[in-house]
Amino acid sequence: MAPLPIRLYPDPLLKKVAQEVAQWDSSLQCLINDMIETLYHSPGVALAAPQVGHSICLTAIDVSRSPRAGENHGLIILINPRIIQWEGEHRFREGCLSVPEFLTNSVRAEKVRVKALNRNGIPQEFHCEGLEAIAVQHEIDHFEGKLILDHVRSPRDLFRRKER
Ligand code: NI
């Protein structure tokens, strides 16, 4: 296991539509372990496989370390996730490990129900709210080649991040 280098905007891989995961083999398990380690070495709360050079629908999310986290599931691995229910709407200021210099305002659902496969290929469903719901929506954007910069509608939605 080793933390992986994180690709930064404007790396073209971040703009690609990711492929669904179809094979549950040891290289997938290895990648998942490396992504978990990379996530915990980073200041972020979620990491999508395209950010570490794999254009597949796989993400590791753990918002529990954030002071902004509400109720959450701790570490979750989502493979081929689909949001099946959205509720509410709020404007949220978010960052991305691949866009380290900026924060942006985006409009997101407050709560989502997401269906995904876990690391063993077993279907599961999570009801997520608050920061965890934002993270799920943010990660699925990564699979569609979308970054937080794509949510910027006006210069007032873009903020330069202070050093961290
Ligand atoms: Ni991101």
Side-chain angles (χ1 to χ4, degrees):
M1 287 208 283
L4 303 166
I6 295 175
R7 301 210 177 197
L8 301 179
Y9 173 83
D11 188 310
L13 200 124
L14 295 170
K15 300 303 291 176
K16 267 182 72 174
V17 175
Q19 300 290 306
E20 294 221 316
V21 172
Q23 256 193 321
W24 270 256
D25 53 16
S26 59
S27 68
L28 180 74
Q29 299 304 328
C30 214
L31 175 61
I32 292 170
N33 291 339
D34 286 345
M35 282 178 59
I36 293 169
E37 196 176 342
T38 307
L39 175 63
Y40 289 141
H41 270 81
S42 81
V45 296
L47 183 71
Q51 294 180 278
V52 290
H54 296 263
S55 193
I56 55 172
C57 301
L58 157 67
T59 178
I61 299 175
D62 185 351
V63 301
S64 64
R65 294 178 304 163
S66 168
R68 294 196 293 174
E71 228 169 275
N72 65 84
H73 298 90
L75 176 66
I76 50 176
I77 303 296
L78 302 181
I79 297 175
N80 305 342
R82 294 257 182 285
I83 295 175
I84 53 170
Q85 214 175 292
W86 290 260
E87 210 185 304
E89 191 179 276
H90 63 169
R91 181 179 280 263
F92 196 85
R93 190 166 299 183
E94 53 189 281
C96 176
L97 292 169
S98 294
V99 191
E101 286 173 35
F102 293 98
L103 295 167
T104 65
N105 282 335
S106 51
V107 177
R108 300 285 195 185
E110 267 178 60
K111 299 178 184 176
V112 295
R113 182 170 286 278
V114 62
K115 234 178 164 162
L117 301 172
N118 72 6
R119 63 183 299 164
N120 300 313
I122 313 285
Q124 41 182 201
E125 230 176 273
F126 296 102
H127 179 77
C128 303
E129 51 186 76
L131 184 61
E132 191 175 50
I134 303 289
V136 167
Q137 294 169 83
H138 177 120
E139 295 308 287
I140 289 175
D141 274 359
H142 274 297
F143 303 146
E144 292 165 0
K146 270 170 85 179
L147 296 171
I148 52 173
L149 299 171
D150 295 306
H151 287 270
V152 173
R153 295 286 169 262
S154 89
R156 283 188 297 177
D157 291 330
L158 185 66
F159 308 88
R160 195 167 275 280
R161 201 193 265 278
K162 298 185 199 101
E163 290 296 315
R164 59 179 177 189

